[in-house]
Amino acid sequence: YYDVQKVANSYARLQALNLFKFVNIVFKERSPVDSLPLLDCEIQLTPMKRQSYNVFLEGTNNSGNIGVGGNFSYNHKNLFHGGENLTLSVWGALKKEKLKENEIFSTTEMGAELKLVTPQFWTPIFRLAEFRRDFAPKTSISLSYSQEHTQFYRRRIASAKFGYLWRRADNKWRYNFDLVDLNYVMMPFVNEEFINGLKNEYVKSAYTDHMILSADFSAIYTDQVLNAGGSFNYFRGNLETSGNFLLGVDKLFGKKRSESGGESYYKAFGVRYAQFVKADGEYRFNHYINRINTVVYRLFLGCGYPYGNMKALPFEEAYYCGGANDIRAWQARTLGPGSYAPLDKYPNNVGDFKLEANVEYRFKLFWLLEGALFIDAGNIWNINRYENRQGTKLSSGFYKQIAVGTGAGLRLDVNFFLLRFDLGLKLHDPMQAEGQRFVLLNRNGGFNKSVFNIAIGYPF
């Protein structure tokens, strides 16, 4: 029997294959048979191009730290004639940092990723026929390798992922479950003067060889209707745990711990592995006033706790503040933790706990130009018992260490991409002495310490 909900679900499933430009389902009446009225159903599909490639070039300027980068990606939408989507990406970036003025570019990054997403749900144990029908799950596999070369260290990361993606028929809820997320981090070189200058074992541990074997679940909700004006909500929640499976295997087989620097820990494949649990959530409300004016509110809260086999969160998993999509009055990784003011110049400030809130008023100007006024607030803190730096730990007086920045932006919207320019000004700087933290009108804030950001797309 005809069911309008099944028609809507069929549209959603066919569009989710990402193989067709247009999908149209047509019903035509047929002559009755045995007094039963009948319908013929015709599904009309216009295919997309099966193969494509994209080239992206970008330039960045973050408070005088300039950089250039590029990304090449190749995509095949139907590799094995079953809707399998293969993507190969190669990227690289060159960055100039003020602290090394005699070099054109002092930091290089490069990497590659191979990713396959198939509409087949690879579960050898469970059939889950109802789940397949209602949520159209997909299987995702990816392999990647990247390396970063700075004047202080070289970092190489090899990664492998296996997981599942699924969504509700109305597309409001989307889910991702990475059953295996493996990251093998190698530090072939660390500058001795740099690592000794950190003067904190908690921070130093981020610059050692380690492995992360984790499972990660995330859920995203949005009631946004594309290409239609109106207010909408967005929520993303994420939960990750790492190291417990490896620890269970080590204890099951009675593996001995390794000893180094007065510490005792287990190894896997020759390196120490991380053990932690991490959860975070983000909520946004896009308040549509009219076609010219919009106000966007954002709140982010996240916490990670290292335990067992590693005393600090891996650098790649820790939270940071500052940058073009964060608290824009500070450069990336230069704010916090808490009221701590680092002595070393290299931006490597990270923490276990993050709280951030943003409000941005966006308005149309003329032609392709948009304007924005914003205020950002937040900080990071540590909750780890090994942390001994003054002012870095989360406490009941955390509200006194909230950093606040404001500013204005100009955006060029050419439909297929948006080029953004934001100028951030410090209002409340927790890294200053108490009683001197409102800095808008003195030499430690305002235009004297402004941060200019160039980026692609909205910050949130």
Side-chain angles (χ1 to χ4, degrees):
Y1 289 99
Y2 175 83
D3 184 335
V4 67
Q5 187 58 51
K6 288 183 178 179
V7 176
N9 290 349
S10 296
Y11 271 111
R13 296 293 175 262
L14 289 167
Q15 288 167 346
L17 289 173
N18 200 28
L19 290 172
F20 309 106
K21 286 182 185 177
F22 304 106
V23 177
N24 191 30
I25 301 177
V26 179
F27 291 91
K28 297 177 182 177
E29 291 188 43
R30 283 186 57 185
S31 301
V33 174
D34 296 332
S35 300
L36 280 175
L38 299 178
L39 290 174
D40 276 342
C41 174
E42 185 177 281
I43 300 178
Q44 302 167 345
L45 305 172
T46 303
M48 292 181 179
K49 287 185 177 180
R50 299 294 172 86
Q51 301 183 66
S52 63
Y53 68 90
N54 290 290
V55 178
F56 298 96
L57 299 175
E58 65 176 2
T60 60
N61 181 348
N62 193 324
S63 191
N65 294 335
I66 61 172
V68 293
N71 182 309
F72 171 82
S73 65
Y74 164 78
N75 180 251
H76 196 304
K77 297 180 183 294
N78 196 26
L79 186 66
F80 303 118
H81 309 290
E84 299 88 0
N85 193 310
L86 178 76
T87 304
L88 172 64
S89 300
V90 180
W91 69 89
L94 301 170
K95 297 179 183 179
K96 160 75 174 175
E97 293 170 351
K98 283 182 175 180
L99 46 82
K100 200 154 187 181
E101 301 284 357
N102 59 335
E103 288 190 8
I104 300 177
F105 294 110
S106 53
T107 299
T108 62
E109 296 176 15
M110 61 182 65
E113 181 183 39
L114 183 66
K115 185 174 184 179
L116 177 69
V117 178
T118 170
Q120 287 78 38
F121 191 39
W122 293 350
T123 52
I125 302 175
F126 306 105
R127 293 292 177 183
L128 302 175
E130 248 183 70
F131 180 73
R132 292 171 186 260
R133 184 187 67 237
D134 295 340
F135 292 94
K138 298 181 179 181
T139 303
S140 174
I141 305 171
S142 67
L143 300 170
S144 67
Y145 176 83
S146 64
Q147 64 179 35
E148 180 184 10
H149 186 172
T150 77
Q151 67 181 97
F152 298 115
Y153 62 84
R154 295 174 195 154
R155 179 186 282 120
R156 298 173 184 169
I157 304 176
S159 302
K161 284 187 181 183
F162 176 86
Y164 305 104
L165 307 93
W166 66 94
R167 62 176 64 196
R168 285 175 45 140
D170 58 10
N171 285 332
K172 288 187 177 180
W173 280 100
R174 290 179 288 148
Y175 307 91
N176 184 79
F177 177 40
D178 287 325
L179 184 62
V180 177
D181 186 354
L182 174 65
N183 290 273
Y184 193 91
V185 182
M186 296 153 281
M187 304 291 296
F189 167 76
V190 179
N191 181 280
E192 187 175 346
E193 184 180 348
F194 165 71
I195 201 73
N196 291 336
L198 296 176
K199 298 178 181 179
N200 183 270
E201 293 301 319
Y202 176 80
V203 179
K204 287 181 182 181
S205 63
Y207 296 92
T208 59
D209 292 349
H210 59 272
M211 188 179 76
I212 305 170
L213 179 61
S214 62
D216 186 356
F217 175 78
S218 62
I220 296 175
Y221 169 84
T222 180
D223 54 6
Q224 180 182 12
V225 179
L226 295 177
N227 302 318
S231 301
F232 63 89
N233 298 277
Y234 172 94
F235 170 78
R236 180 190 62 82
N238 187 76
L239 176 64
E240 181 178 5
T241 179
S242 174
N244 298 321
F245 174 77
L246 290 174
L247 184 67
V249 171
D250 285 339
K251 289 193 172 183
L252 179 65
F253 291 97
K255 188 175 179 180
K256 291 185 178 180
R257 290 175 174 265
S258 298
E259 301 282 343
S260 177
E263 292 186 67
S264 174
Y265 50 84
Y266 291 107
K267 285 185 174 183
F269 303 105
V271 296
R272 186 176 186 173
Y273 58 83
Q275 195 175 3
F276 63 87
V277 62
K278 179 182 175 184
D280 49 59
E282 177 184 8
Y283 172 73
R284 305 177 201 164
F285 178 64
N286 191 303
H287 183 202
Y288 178 85
I289 302 172
N290 52 45
R291 65 183 185 87
I292 296 176
N293 301 283
T294 304
V295 181
V296 184
Y297 305 89
R298 174 179 179 261
L299 178 66
F300 179 92
L301 179 65
C303 182
Y305 182 70
Y307 60 94
N309 206 50
M310 202 164 182
K311 63 184 181 183
L313 278 180
F315 189 81
E316 303 78 22
E317 297 287 344
Y319 298 104
Y320 69 90
C321 269
N325 298 320
D326 205 272
I327 300 179
R328 284 160 278 184
W330 278 262
Q331 297 178 41
R333 303 185 190 277
T334 61
L335 174 60
S339 60
Y340 180 69
L343 300 176
D344 54 297
K345 296 181 179 180
Y346 193 78
N348 62 355
N349 301 2
V350 294
D352 306 323
F353 184 91
K354 180 175 181 178
L355 175 65
E356 183 183 344
N358 316 79
V359 179
E360 181 167 284
Y361 168 50
R362 299 169 184 169
F363 50 92
K364 303 286 186 183
L365 292 173
F366 59 89
W367 188 49
L368 303 175
L369 293 178
E370 299 179 7
L373 300 173
F374 59 84
I375 184 166
D376 306 319
N379 206 337
I380 54 172
W381 292 267
N382 281 321
I383 59 174
N384 194 296
R385 62 190 177 93
Y386 294 103
E387 175 61 90
N388 57 13
R389 293 172 297 174
Q390 186 70 28
T392 62
K393 298 195 77 169
L394 185 66
S395 65
S396 58
F398 74 95
Y399 60 92
K400 298 177 183 179
Q401 300 173 338
I402 297 289
V404 182
T406 188
L410 187 67
R411 288 86 194 270
L412 179 65
D413 186 357
V414 293
N415 292 325
F416 60 91
F417 83 96
L418 182 138
L419 183 61
R420 173 164 55 95
F421 306 90
D422 285 333
L423 181 68
L425 308 175
K426 294 177 175 63
L427 288 178
H428 185 260
D429 186 356
M431 299 165 75
Q432 305 300 321
E434 285 196 58
Q436 302 176 25
R437 291 178 176 174
F438 288 96
V439 296
L440 178 62
L441 302 178
N442 64 35
R443 61 186 179 85
N444 291 318
F447 285 98
N448 291 323
K449 296 289 184 178
S450 61
V451 174
F452 182 60
N453 299 285
I454 300 176
I456 302 294
Y458 290 114
F460 43 83

